[in-house]
Amino acid sequence: MANMKSLAKDTAIYGLSSIVGRFLNYLLVPLYTYYMPHETGDYGISTNIYAYVALILVILTFGMETSLFRFANDEKNKPDTVFSMAMAVVGSLTAVFLLLLFGLITPISNVLGYTEHPDYLLMMGVVVALDALQAIPFSFLRYQKRAIRFASLKMLFIIFNIGLNVLYFVVLGKTSVFYVFFINLLCTAFITLFFIPDLIKIQWKFDGQLLRQMFSYSWPILILGIAGILNQVADKIIFPLVYPDEEQANILLGDYGSCVKIAMIMAMITMAFRYAYEPIVFAKSKDADKTEYYATAMKYFLIFTLLAYLCVVGWMPLLQYILGANYREGLGVVPIVMAAEIMMGVYFNLSFWYKLIDKTIYGAWFSLAGCAVLFAVNILFIPKYGYWACAWGGVAGYGTSMVISYIVGQKKNPIPYPMQSIATYVLMTVILTVMMNWCTEHFDLGTIGQLVCNNICILFFLSYILHNDLPAKNLPIIGKYFKH
């Protein structure tokens, strides 16, 4: 119970920073979709380049974030030495990446379709390099349970980023995607400075044997990470390459990318849960009740992500105004993308059995299987169905990885997940979603009427949670009023 309370507290801190941060970042979505001309496809360019950035970041960090937790929690190792080795790997890869990028910028920009704008790639190349260098110190803060400092730095970046975007786009009237990348570079460099005092305090030490152990542990995580991030961004990389109308590709990708932003509440919840959950899992790996803990954590993760899913679907009549009018045609993909994100979160929860026994190669194979399915769906169906194929490809890819991981995991390291209860919540979510959509399609309710109908469905789901799995008397602060 103490670990569960610790998980709840840390999730609240990480979650608050993520929720507030994502909410503030949502302000950039209307900023870009209202101020950035739709016909230029600039938002599509931003979506495409950030997809490459996400992929490169995984490669440069080389699985060292998870490796840091694994080896820093081993009593045989000194945490500072583990940190030193992780930084050595990431720093070396980052240096090689920057040398290749600046040395080969012309052929790279030609291949990626940015012949006229190599500056976009150079700016974002430096950004991803700095992000990779920041990743290990941020992970070390999580290992040290310094959630407040972690959240503060994340929030500072977001506030600085939003402030500069408002200045450039609203006050100065800039409309080019160039300023999106330029502002990101300034903010990332600014946050990097805050880690200098922490880095000075580290007792740097080289340990060749530890480095080999960490490298051996992390390279399957790298494959896992590449496959995992491709499941998230491959559609945005593939789309301009296979869509038959090159002129429309960036415009449609901008529509899809902007609508996906609304669905990212699932990624936000999963990220907050992961930041708090991952260190606790490794610390609890020797406890006798670990399997029951993992099963309970999975159940509550699903309960709250499904509730969030229903809230986003139910409040779509209002949330649609986050986007400029020209970008709303793709709103139908939002529930599909959210379903894929929930599957990704479940897959993350299922992944710990092989991480704890140092068999991370299993995760690599599971993720590669899902990635292969996603690639196939996107390449085969984007030319005909456009970004709808992107959305369903995510469901197919994550669904594949999730199912395979569960089946193999229950054979190798069984965990008593409450499948009947989980299935009840999933089925209820499907039924309530169908009901909300049916009411919208068959009755002229208007915005207020839709919200009333949808909120009734959401309240029904919430009441079921409170009655069966989270009694009001157990809630913090207000629980004392329900003791009887």
Side-chain angles (χ1 to χ4, degrees), residues 279-292:
I280 290 176
V281 166
F282 286 102
K284 193 174 176 63
S285 60
K286 298 181 180 68
D287 292 355
D289 63 340
K290 61 182 180 182
T291 57
E292 290 78 9

Side-chain angles (χ1 to χ4, degrees), residues 39-154:
E39 64 276 6
T40 62
D42 271 14
Y43 199 89
I45 292 172
S46 172
T47 301
N48 179 246
I49 289 181
Y50 274 110
Y52 283 108
V53 165
L55 174 60
I56 294 168
L57 182 60
V58 170
I59 295 172
L60 295 183
T61 53
F62 207 85
M64 284 294 153
E65 294 166 284
T66 301
S67 295
L68 187 149
F69 293 125
R70 166 65 179 82
F71 289 92
N73 278 290
D74 190 331
E75 296 177 355
K76 297 182 297 183
N77 302 315
K78 292 183 178 180
D80 278 11
T81 306
V82 175
F83 178 87
S84 300
M85 294 302 93
M87 282 297 292
V89 173
V90 175
S92 299
L93 289 173
T94 300
V96 172
F97 165 73
L98 289 176
L99 287 173
L100 290 175
L101 176 64
F102 279 82
L104 303 173
I105 185 58
T106 299
I108 290 174
S109 36
N110 290 341
V111 169
L112 298 183
Y114 294 101
T115 304
E116 297 181 2
H117 292 287
D119 51 327
Y120 294 175
L121 301 181
L122 291 174
M123 283 190 291
M124 292 312 296
V126 176
V127 167
V128 73
L130 292 175
D131 279 338
L133 293 173
Q134 288 181 15
I136 304 304
F138 268 123
S139 295
F140 206 49
L141 291 177
R142 290 163 56 199
Y143 164 75
Q144 296 170 321
K145 302 291 180 64
R146 297 169 66 187
I148 297 296
R149 178 166 173 77
F150 179 99
S152 299
L153 290 176
K154 292 289 186 181

Side-chain angles (χ1 to χ4, degrees), residues 26 75 139 166 304 327 372 480:
Y26 277 154
E75 296 177 355
S139 295
V166 171
F304 288 109
Y327 291 84
K480 60 184 178 182

Side-chain angles (χ1 to χ4, degrees), residues 237-372:
I237 293 174
I238 294 171
F239 193 93
L241 301 177
V242 301
Y243 192 75
D245 189 336
E246 293 183 10
E247 294 183 0
Q248 286 292 311
N250 281 330
I251 295 175
L252 293 176
L253 184 58
D255 294 344
Y256 176 67
S258 60
C259 291
V260 165
K261 291 291 186 182
I262 296 178
M264 285 299 101
I265 189 171
M266 289 297 119
M268 170 194 69
I269 293 173
T270 301
M271 181 183 298
F273 186 84
R274 174 184 175 181
Y275 283 152
Y277 189 46
E278 193 169 37
I280 290 176
V281 166
F282 286 102
K284 193 174 176 63
S285 60
K286 298 181 180 68
D287 292 355
D289 63 340
K290 61 182 180 182
T291 57
E292 290 78 9
Y293 174 81
Y294 300 154
T296 302
M298 168 72 87
K299 178 180 177 178
Y300 282 103
F301 169 79
L302 265 172
I303 287 174
F304 288 109
T305 51
L306 291 174
L307 176 61
Y309 172 92
L310 287 173
C311 289
V312 173
V313 173
W315 297 339
M316 192 58 67
L318 289 180
L319 292 176
Q320 65 174 323
Y321 294 106
I322 290 175
L323 308 180
N326 293 328
Y327 291 84
R328 296 175 195 160
E329 292 185 8
L331 284 172
V333 305
V334 173
I336 304 170
V337 175
M338 283 195 299
E341 289 291 338
I342 292 174
M343 291 179 180
M344 188 270 286
V346 173
Y347 175 51
F348 169 77
N349 278 272
L350 293 170
S351 70
F352 283 103
W353 68 265
Y354 55 76
K355 290 181 181 178
L356 290 170
I357 62 174
D358 294 351
K359 297 292 184 181
T360 48
I361 189 65
Y362 278 107
W365 288 117
F366 300 155
S367 291
L368 285 172
C371 192

